[in-house]
Amino acid sequence: MTGNVTNWARNITFQASGGLRTPESLDELCAVVGGAERVRALGAGHSFNRVADTTGTLVSLSRMPHLTEVDADARTVRVGAGATFAQLCAALRPYGLALANLPSTPHFTLAGAYATGTHGSGDAHGSLATAVRAVELVTADGGLSTVRRGDPDFDGTVTSLGALGVAHAVTLDLRPAFEVEQHVHEGLPWEVLTEHLDTLLASAYSVSAFTDWGGDAVRLWLKRRTGDPLPDLGWTGARPATRAHHPIEGLPAANSTEQLGVSGAWDERLPHFRSGFLPSSGAELQSEYLVPRADGAAAVTALRELRPWFAPVLQVAEIRSVAADTHWLSPNSGRDSVGFHFTWVRDADAVAPVVARMEEALAPFDARPHWGKVFATAPDVLRGSYARWDDFADLLRRRDPAGTFRNALVDHLFPATPDPATPDPAAPDPAA
């Protein structure tokens, strides 16, 4: 396929001179990758920076044969990495099995979500990559490589920014299917959220607080497993919602998963948005930063001071909790976290100075950005935040010495030469 290829938000036009290839078999995929000087996999295109870009060839797995091999006894599934969460959920339904958690929208591909450290919400849940038992890669020479949990490089391979190869299949942990209810509470006072943040984030299986940072109160979304105790929030001053909401006020609630305490299948409640409907607003940019759980309340206070900055460019913000995991480049690596997600208007020039100001405000809390969203954090700052940063840089040099899967963003973060005297390439525009 030739012509301009853009991401979902249409703020990125990919630079791929080789266009977009859509192989229909594993052999064809291996031939495309093995024959390319530079190549990157493109998932759902739901990243807001150039993490998926390349000057060479883009490859999509959207036309690869459907692969879903369920082992009900072992509670695992081997699935094509180009599948979306919606496709996988539908395939698991007849087996009565489920993933532990889901992202805010089921439109993402598995490979794209795992590679960028994408997560859902809940004190017990790390990034979505914690479900991965094995990842099968097409390597730079067109060969195949499988890395399994327990292998020395496994925790550096799953969340790897797509820089180690093209993932064509993954094996995932499953659990018995379960039902979930969504209970939305309105009018939660800011002082209650700040003073009792840990208690509120731990009050259900999955919890999100939505705000524009400018009002006097917050909306709290609780996703409770049916049968779990229903938390009493009467002490908070919040009141149960009497109508369904979209996370962005004024947009159609029909796009959102069912609320008002109606019990439903796990995959029809854990995401905020319904499969087959527009997620979020569509015309947007996004950023997200994760800080240590212990600093969550202080980060809320710091961000409240930026209300005048947010007002012209923010559509909605979300606050969630994420458990620590072991993946080297996961934004939650080694620490329980509170995530601050921002849905901006689609105006890169207006958003960039706000992001810079926000990063300055969050710097005391060692904030880590989501790899697929708008950010400008310097590589030396990130290197100081991740204990296994240099190990990943070494893994990258070992697994892709010719730089087949490198791009401008990877080069900016992990220069091909370890020589500190060699300047980094110019940083790509984080909001471009």
Side-chain angles (χ1 to χ4, degrees):
M1 180 183 298
T2 59
N4 292 336
V5 180
T6 67
N7 66 339
W8 174 79
R10 301 187 302 281
N11 70 302
I12 298 290
T13 299
F14 294 106
Q15 299 172 331
S17 62
L20 176 67
R21 301 287 299 275
T22 55
E24 299 183 16
S25 69
L26 180 56
D27 285 346
E28 187 181 352
L29 173 62
C30 290
V32 170
V33 175
E37 183 177 353
R38 292 286 185 272
V39 64
R40 294 283 294 188
L42 178 63
H46 211 280
S47 292
F48 296 84
N49 61 23
R50 294 192 176 275
V51 66
D53 202 7
T54 179
T55 56
T57 299
L58 282 172
V59 60
S60 166
L61 307 187
S62 60
R63 298 179 66 183
M64 294 279 286
H66 186 67
L67 169 67
T68 310
E69 300 171 358
V70 175
D71 185 330
D73 293 332
R75 292 182 182 169
T76 63
V77 60
R78 179 173 176 260
V79 59
T84 66
F85 282 92
Q87 291 169 331
L88 175 58
C89 292
L92 294 178
R93 196 168 292 126
Y95 297 91
L97 294 170
L99 296 169
N101 207 0
L102 287 172
S104 60
T105 175
H107 302 70
F108 301 155
T109 65
L110 305 178
Y114 301 144
T116 56
T118 297
H119 59 88
S121 181
D123 276 13
H125 311 298
S127 69
L128 299 173
T130 58
V132 178
R133 297 175 62 94
V135 58
E136 300 172 45
L137 298 169
V138 178
T139 55
D141 61 358
L144 300 174
S145 174
T146 300
V147 184
R148 297 177 174 83
R149 187 183 293 157
D151 290 348
D153 293 336
F154 176 79
D155 282 336
T157 300
V158 182
T159 300
S160 60
L161 314 185
L164 299 179
V166 175
H168 72 90
V170 290
T171 301
L172 308 173
D173 291 324
L174 302 175
R175 62 177 57 187
F178 54 99
E179 293 201 341
V180 174
E181 305 163 8
Q182 290 194 85
H183 298 267
V184 177
H185 295 261
E186 302 177 279
L188 177 71
W190 275 103
E191 60 270 20
V192 175
L193 178 71
T194 305
E195 293 175 16
H196 302 280
L197 182 65
D198 285 350
T199 299
L200 292 169
L201 291 177
S203 61
Y205 189 84
S206 173
V207 178
S208 294
F210 285 100
T211 178
D212 63 4
W213 294 99
D216 295 328
V218 178
R219 277 184 287 119
L220 196 67
W221 289 37
L222 306 181
K223 298 174 188 280
R224 177 181 77 108
R225 283 183 304 185
T226 302
D228 285 354
L230 181 63
D232 178 8
L233 296 184
W235 59 273
T236 67
R239 60 189 182 277
T242 57
R243 63 176 179 88
H245 287 269
H246 190 286
I248 302 174
E249 281 298 294
L251 294 185
N255 291 2
S256 303
T257 49
E258 192 164 1
Q259 301 153 40
L260 301 176
V262 178
S263 183
W266 61 283
D267 59 303
E268 296 176 347
R269 297 294 184 274
L270 288 179
H272 298 323
F273 302 106
R274 298 169 62 190
S275 174
F277 288 74
L278 176 70
S280 197
S281 72
E284 65 194 73
L285 302 175
Q286 294 182 10
S287 298
E288 185 176 35
Y289 297 87
L290 295 105
V291 307
R293 181 64 177 267
D295 293 325
V300 169
T301 300
L303 289 169
R304 281 277 284 165
E305 297 298 318
L306 301 183
R307 285 171 288 177
W309 288 75
F310 292 151
V313 295
L314 182 65
Q315 299 190 56
V316 75
E318 181 181 8
I319 304 170
R320 294 177 283 181
S321 63
V322 192
D325 59 49
T326 59
H327 295 278
W328 298 353
L329 291 188
S330 167
N332 318 295
S333 183
R335 68 190 200 191
D336 295 337
S337 302
V338 176
F340 296 92
H341 185 278
F342 300 82
T343 300
W344 312 110
V345 299
R346 193 173 59 199
D347 184 337
D349 291 338
V351 167
V354 179
V355 167
R357 182 67 186 87
M358 185 169 60
E359 291 188 353
E360 180 182 339
L362 292 177
F365 311 116
D366 191 22
R368 296 171 176 170
H370 186 295
W371 296 116
K373 303 187 187 296
V374 175
F375 71 92
T377 312
D380 60 326
V381 174
L382 293 169
R383 182 183 182 190
S385 182
Y386 286 87
R388 305 300 298 270
W389 186 268
D390 290 343
D391 292 328
F392 182 78
D394 177 67
L395 177 62
L396 184 58
R397 287 189 287 269
R398 287 190 285 113
R399 296 288 288 272
D400 186 25
T404 300
F405 304 107
R406 283 182 168 272
N407 61 12
L409 183 59
V410 173
D411 284 341
H412 174 58
L413 297 171
F414 301 96
T417 170
D419 182 358
T422 302
D424 285 356
D429 181 352

